[in-house]
Amino acid sequence: MCGIVGYIGKKNAVPILMDGLSSLEYRGYDSAGIAAMDKGQLCMSKRAGKLKILAECLKKNPVKGAIGIGHTRWATHGEPNEINSHPHYSCKSDFVIVHNGIIENHHELREKLKKEGHKFRSQTDTEVVVHLIEKLYKGNLLKAVCAAIRQLHGSFALGVISTHHPDMLVAARKDSPLIVGVGKGENYIASDVPAILKYTREVIYLDNNEVAVLTRDKVALYNTKEAPIKKKTAKIKWDSASAEKAGYPHFMIKEINEQPQVLKTILNHRIKGNRVVFEKFNISEAKLKKINNIQIVACGTAYHAGLCGKYILEKLLRLPINVDTSSEFRYRDQIITKGRTLIIVVSQSGETADTLASLREAKKKGAVVASICNVVGSSIARESDGVIYTLAGPEIAVASTKAYTAQLTTFYLLGIYLGRIYGTVSDKATKKLLGELAKVPGLMTQSLKEHKKVKKVADQYIRRYDYRLAEQLMFLGDEIWRFKDPKKALAFAQQCAKKSHSAYGKRFGDFPFLYLGRNVNYPSALEGALKLKEITYISAEGYAAGEMKHGPIALIDEFPLVVCITPQSAVYEKMLSNIKEIRARKGVVLSVATEGDKEIRKKEYSDYVIEIPKIDEFFSPLLVALPLQLLSYYIAVGLKCDVDQPRNLAKSVTVE
Ligand code: G6P
């Protein structure tokens, strides 16, 4: 979490830093700050809240300098106020630092430094680093930074500047991502590529325990013992336009709409004739043939893709497949057989702390590690024995959409690829499976054309609950229905609520969503619920429909909305039975069903229906995902939520 950026060159650093931070805001947006140095004078500006608050402040009180560092924060240690915002100064304000990560031994370092007379201003773990550098500085900034980080436990990506070295920016990393951008007469650091892509395509991916010293004309790299090292620069192939909104109001809706194209790209790259090809997937067939069990590990949406991956691989490989969230997996007494267990880690960012730790743990125990990753050159990609990139392009919205369907597609392809090696997927089966997959991009496009129908359902939902809420708040059912417009009814109720009732803040708290699905669409139910709660703050639960009777049925009355994922499938009848049970308890049902399904449209089953095109059940999660993403999106927009940057979340969770 947190995004850092740095610049050294001839231009004013501040607009470049602010620009970089705006593309890193997905990493955290609790507070933001920058520091720049002009003629040896350090100047800093930081504010609690989003970057735009800092931008306003900089308009009134400009800061300038040809060298600078910036930070956008997702708070871990210390509340997200101005004092705890980065950058942080040393006692004499001659060193200034930005940090992403967690310094685990900050407490003991702080106590020690305090005893030695250092004065702390914030409650952050980061501040110890700048005091440590101040303490260890003997005229050489590189030496001081190296000496300081040798004392740190935990994770860090750091940017440091000092008045003693007005032409130098020092950066270092361990377990938090950091890249160096190499320009002409100017150089950059950033947590992620989009932050600097407007300025350069030449980047160096720093590895753990590497330190970079940037001047205007040079980037020199060292290990933490100050010994010089050499690394190649990589050229970024995608352009900055793919990290911009391209006319859409939000990144999320842009990314939802990109899915047909993403799938086409994946299939074009990965299918050659009747074969699945993963170029540069460095795990040999001989190694893969020895595998007798598979463990999938991931977090969040990637975990849901992994769960679906279990259904896919089980069917295609006939091997025992286990799936776990990374935070559980890393601390379990896992059963890993050397050379026999294949771990598949799934991660959009390739930097999620728990997933990375799971990968390392599994490697230590002798597992073969493959990863399904979106961000090229990320830590997970680099540390895996073999990586399959999902080719989804940069995903900016915090709620993952196109990365999810790209991960699912990769699982189908991986299943076919491994199935050929294990002899469980024949030539004929491959042809059939690839044929079905090839239809998906077109069906996705068809499905997205119906987005207005999903919006209508979202609007109806909001309308219905605005009335309900107004009614509840008034405690006077009839009174509220005299308003023709539910918004007016709600406004009136709110007014009354302010006077007599404080429940308005609990908006929607009483109207949860329940998502139900079976078989391959059980993970779709979990993902649907996650999408909704992430961006609308409405409580939502995903459940295996067969488990409904073991708890969630107690929630059912006329208030919750039950989203039933019911495409034509082997479990269709079972889903209908579940719906009947819900209806018998006055439950409100939104069915996601196959186009042309007349049965499900009957009032005895559904209040609302969203259709998906006809597709083989096995591949249906790829299509089911889209209307569920759209439903969350339109409800969030209708409720005026911050779609791309929902509260408390961050796109890349680089702390445990
Ligand atoms: C965060 C993001 C989710 C994402 C999860 C795992 O919670 O908000 O969208 O699914 O991390 O991230 P990864 O980058 O490992 O897929």
Side-chain angles (χ1 to χ4, degrees):
M1 347 275 280
C2 302
I4 72 172
V5 62
Y7 171 81
I8 181 162
K10 289 182 194 128
K11 299 175 195 144
N12 182 11
V14 177
I16 298 169
L17 298 177
M18 290 300 284
D19 199 30
L21 289 179
S22 73
S23 50
L24 292 176
E25 238 191 331
Y26 72 87
R27 302 178 66 85
Y29 30 81
D30 291 339
S31 65
I34 53 144
M37 192 158 41
D38 191 25
K39 301 187 189 94
Q41 288 280 346
L42 263 175
C43 204
M44 183 145 79
S45 185
K46 48 192 201 175
R47 283 290 176 275
K50 293 199 170 166
L51 194 62
K52 59 181 182 220
I53 301 176
L54 177 66
E56 282 306 313
C57 162
L58 284 168
K59 265 191 214 156
K60 287 183 206 137
N61 303 301
V63 170
K64 66 168 189 158
I67 171 170
I69 49 180
H71 188 271
T72 178
R73 179 167 187 245
W74 188 86
T76 56
H77 293 63
E79 64 175 277
N81 58 24
E82 198 173 310
I83 293 176
N84 289 332
S85 309
H86 300 218
H88 289 285
Y89 271 136
S90 57
C91 292
K92 290 189 212 128
S93 304
D94 46 353
F95 297 89
V96 67
I97 193 172
V98 286
H99 166 225
N100 164 214
I102 292 184
I103 307 302
E104 285 162 5
N105 57 339
H106 74 101
H107 188 67
E108 59 184 85
L109 288 171
R110 177 185 276 254
E111 290 311 305
K112 214 165 137 204
L113 286 158
K114 267 178 122 172
K115 277 190 197 136
E116 291 165 7
H118 287 263
K119 297 267 178 294
F120 281 77
R121 299 176 174 100
S122 75
Q123 297 143 356
T124 62
D125 54 331
T126 301
E127 206 184 335
V128 298
V129 187
V130 74
H131 289 283
L132 207 53
I133 293 172
E134 180 177 46
K135 171 185 157 179
L136 297 166
Y137 179 72
K138 308 258 177 318
N140 181 326
L141 187 57
L142 169 67
K143 268 190 190 307
V145 171
C146 287
I149 61 182
R150 287 199 296 264
Q151 295 190 33
L152 303 180
H153 300 167
S155 55
F156 53 81
L158 298 170
V160 188
I161 54 177
S162 163
T163 53
H164 304 295
H165 301 270
D167 298 318
M168 183 186 280
L169 166 59
V170 179
R173 92 154 259 191
K174 183 184 162 254
D175 292 341
S176 290
L178 192 62
I179 57 158
V180 174
V182 183
K184 291 207 175 77
E186 53 190 12
N187 291 306
Y188 310 80
I189 59 163
S191 299
D192 197 0
V193 174
I196 56 167
L197 204 51
K198 268 192 196 162
Y199 311 102
T200 180
R201 285 169 176 281
E202 304 289 328
V203 303
I204 301 170
Y205 291 97
L206 289 187
D207 277 305
N208 276 347
N209 300 312
E210 290 180 352
V211 184
V213 176
L214 285 72
T215 53
R216 265 190 235 149
D217 301 310
K218 200 175 156 204
V219 175
L221 302 174
Y222 302 87
N223 63 22
T224 49
K225 291 180 185 141
E226 300 139 47
I229 51 172
K230 285 220 170 330
K231 289 190 85 147
K232 282 196 183 137
T233 51
K235 199 168 177 83
I236 302 297
K237 298 209 177 91
W238 42 277
D239 60 20
S240 58
S242 49
E244 283 161 11
K245 279 189 203 148
Y248 286 97
H250 302 100
F251 279 111
M252 184 177 176
I253 190 70
K254 176 189 172 227
E255 288 159 6
I256 289 174
N257 278 295
E258 280 171 356
Q259 291 175 101
Q261 189 50 49
V262 168
L263 255 82
K264 261 190 218 159
T265 306
I266 300 175
L267 301 181
N268 283 343
H269 270 77
R270 303 292 185 219
I271 303 174
K272 305 276 177 259
N274 194 31
R275 291 243 176 240
V276 173
V277 180
F278 297 128
E279 81 279 4
K280 296 190 191 146
F281 181 58
N282 295 331
I283 307 176
S284 66
E285 276 199 32
K287 254 193 181 175
L288 289 170
K289 274 193 175 143
K290 290 193 187 135
I291 298 300
N292 63 14
N293 69 94
I294 296 179
Q295 169 74 55
I296 302 169
V297 188
C299 297
T301 290
Y303 167 70
H304 296 153
L307 199 56
C308 195
K310 173 185 158 82
Y311 284 85
I312 297 167
L313 297 186
E314 239 168 36
K315 190 176 166 79
L316 297 178
L317 307 183
R318 312 307 303 142
L319 277 181
I321 320 272
N322 202 3
V323 55
D324 214 343
T325 53
S326 315
S327 53
E328 284 302 311
F329 178 82
R330 64 182 290 191
Y331 293 117
R332 271 214 337 258
D333 193 2
Q334 319 95 1
I335 300 176
I336 289 174
T337 324
K338 200 171 173 202
R340 298 276 179 191
T341 304
L342 174 69
I343 302 281
I344 304 177
V345 292
V346 191
S347 176
Q348 187 285 129
S349 64
E351 300 293 348
T352 302
D354 282 324
T355 309
L356 187 56
S358 299
L359 176 158
R360 290 179 180 155
E361 185 68 23
K363 251 185 139 176
K364 227 195 295 167
K365 293 190 172 152
V368 178
V369 180
S371 61
I372 296 179
C373 252
N374 196 36
V375 176
V376 176
S378 56
S379 303
I380 289 175
R382 281 180 293 148
E383 293 190 30
S384 312
D385 296 315
V387 53
I388 306 171
Y389 286 117
T390 44
L391 310 175
E395 191 182 63
I396 310 292
V398 165
S400 184
T401 53
K402 63 173 178 171
Y404 174 66
T405 43
Q407 287 157 354
L408 292 183
T409 310
T410 308
F411 268 114
Y412 289 110
L413 293 171
L414 182 62
I416 298 167
Y417 177 84
L418 293 175
R420 296 286 296 247
I421 295 174
Y422 299 151
T424 50
V425 179
S426 64
D427 270 356
K428 199 170 153 210
T430 304
K431 198 166 173 199
K432 187 157 180 273
L433 290 163
L434 293 181
E436 280 301 309
L437 256 183
K439 290 183 203 157
V440 176
L443 296 177
M444 280 183 159
T445 307
Q446 190 183 321
S447 176
L448 287 168
K449 279 193 189 136
E450 303 290 311
H451 71 107
K452 284 200 181 123
K453 290 190 183 155
V454 183
K455 181 173 184 309
K456 199 170 155 201
V457 173
D459 290 344
Q460 281 172 334
Y461 168 81
I462 291 169
R463 197 180 151 82
R464 176 172 178 270
Y465 285 101
D466 276 352
Y467 270 123
R468 283 272 186 224
L469 187 70
E471 196 181 38
Q472 269 211 338
L473 288 169
M474 285 292 293
F475 303 108
L476 287 169
D478 288 346
E479 181 76 5
I480 211 69
W481 291 99
R482 68 192 163 88
F483 291 96
K484 292 231 166 58
D485 177 355
K487 293 270 172 272
K488 285 193 179 141
L490 190 63
F492 177 63
Q494 270 178 279
Q495 259 179 12
C496 300
K498 265 190 198 152
K499 288 184 199 145
S500 61
H501 197 284
S502 62
Y504 184 70
K506 274 175 57 194
R507 188 176 188 192
F508 292 100
D510 297 334
F511 312 125
F513 272 60
L514 182 61
Y515 288 72
L516 300 176
R518 280 175 182 262
N519 199 352
V520 273
N521 282 309
Y522 160 50
S524 309
L526 298 185
E527 176 57 13
L530 177 66
K531 233 34 354 137
L532 189 84
K533 65 188 147 204
E534 278 179 316
I535 61 169
T536 67
Y537 320 138
I538 299 172
S539 59
E541 251 190 286
Y543 242 84
E547 279 288 295
M548 185 184 70
K549 289 199 229 12
H550 303 286
I553 200 163
L555 296 175
I556 310 268
D557 54 18
E558 67 269 45
F559 291 115
L561 185 73
V562 190
V563 181
C564 295
I565 304 171
T566 321
Q568 290 297 334
S569 68
V571 288
Y572 177 75
E573 297 294 335
K574 303 278 169 209
M575 281 302 299
L576 288 191
S577 306
N578 287 130
I579 295 179
K580 284 236 153 134
E581 289 154 6
I582 298 162
R583 298 302 261 176
R585 287 155 184 90
K586 297 198 185 134
V588 186
V589 171
L590 159 60
S591 297
V592 178
T594 306
E595 62 185 354
D597 181 344
K598 292 201 179 97
E599 187 69 6
I600 203 110
R601 286 197 167 273
K602 290 184 183 158
K603 267 285 155 232
E604 58 188 289
Y605 290 112
S606 314
D607 295 282
Y608 312 101
V609 177
I610 298 175
E611 291 187 337
I612 60 159
K614 272 199 187 95
I615 187 166
D616 185 316
E617 177 190 9
F618 187 52
F619 294 102
S620 61
L622 284 169
L623 293 187
V624 165
L626 273 54
L628 296 186
Q629 295 164 353
L630 286 170
L631 181 69
S632 301
Y633 173 76
Y634 284 123
I635 293 177
V637 171
L639 296 177
K640 301 196 172 33
C641 294
D642 191 341
V643 173
D644 284 337
Q645 295 180 341
R647 71 183 181 204
N648 303 340
L649 297 176
K651 181 126 194 95
S652 183
V653 181
T654 54
V655 293
E656 193 181 341

